[in-house]
Amino acid sequence: MTEPIVTAISTAVNSTVVAADPAQTATGSYFRSYSVVGLLAVVGVLFVAVAFGAGRLLRPVVPTPEKLLTYECGVDPVGEGWAHTQVRYYVYAFLYVIFAVDSVFLFPWATVFAAPGYGATTLVEMFVFLGFLAVGLLYAYKKGVLAWT
């Protein structure tokens, strides 16, 4: 006769313990999901470290004067190590990056522009954005940056 009472009490105690601790269970599962990411990061770092260590241990080390020379694509190095590069190459690259970023902003704008209720606002915002880009391009043109001579 006492067995059903004992099992009922133990069931009530166990359910009380589980019910009293839902925050800790949620926190535990939250950090457990990040532990998988952490474990993968550690395995990745160990993999790279083992690969570099094995390469260092297995490679032949025979330094010769020819191997210690500077190598420039099969051509013997002549002259100084300092080479002058014209700035205009960097300016063109910078202008390309600016317009590539512009195209990245155009795609989300097109999706928002198609949504109902946002047409006029997004149209004005995009013309302001394109105006800033046009002013920058005009400034570059006036300064002679775009002249390739």
Side-chain angles (χ1 to χ4, degrees):
M1 192 72 149
T2 60
E3 279 185 30
I5 295 172
V6 171
T7 55
I9 290 173
S10 68
T11 305
V13 168
N14 287 340
S15 67
T16 305
V17 170
V18 171
D21 208 7
Q24 189 176 18
T25 305
T27 305
S29 67
Y30 177 76
F31 287 118
R32 190 174 18 241
S33 64
Y34 277 109
S35 66
V36 172
V37 173
L39 180 67
L40 283 175
V42 168
V43 168
V45 168
L46 284 175
F47 182 75
V48 170
V50 167
F52 275 117
R56 186 176 187 100
L57 290 174
L58 297 175
R59 72 178 181 216
V61 180
V62 184
T64 61
E66 290 84 18
K67 288 183 181 179
L68 298 176
L69 286 176
T70 304
Y71 180 75
E72 293 184 12
C73 301
V75 179
D76 291 331
V78 179
E80 298 180 23
W82 184 259
H84 296 282
T85 305
Q86 294 184 7
V87 176
R88 73 176 130 211
Y89 298 118
Y90 297 111
V91 172
Y92 276 100
F94 188 63
L95 287 172
Y96 170 75
V97 168
I98 288 173
F99 287 103
V101 169
D102 175 37
S103 67
V104 167
F105 282 119
L106 283 174
F107 289 116
W109 170 77
T111 58
V112 171
F113 184 69
Y118 291 104
T121 305
T122 55
L123 187 64
V124 169
E125 288 174 355
M126 189 46 63
F127 276 121
V128 168
F129 179 68
L130 291 175
F132 280 122
L133 285 176
V135 167
L137 188 62
L138 182 66
Y139 177 78
Y141 179 74
K142 290 284 188 181
K143 285 289 189 178
V145 172
L146 300 177
W148 190 268
T149 55

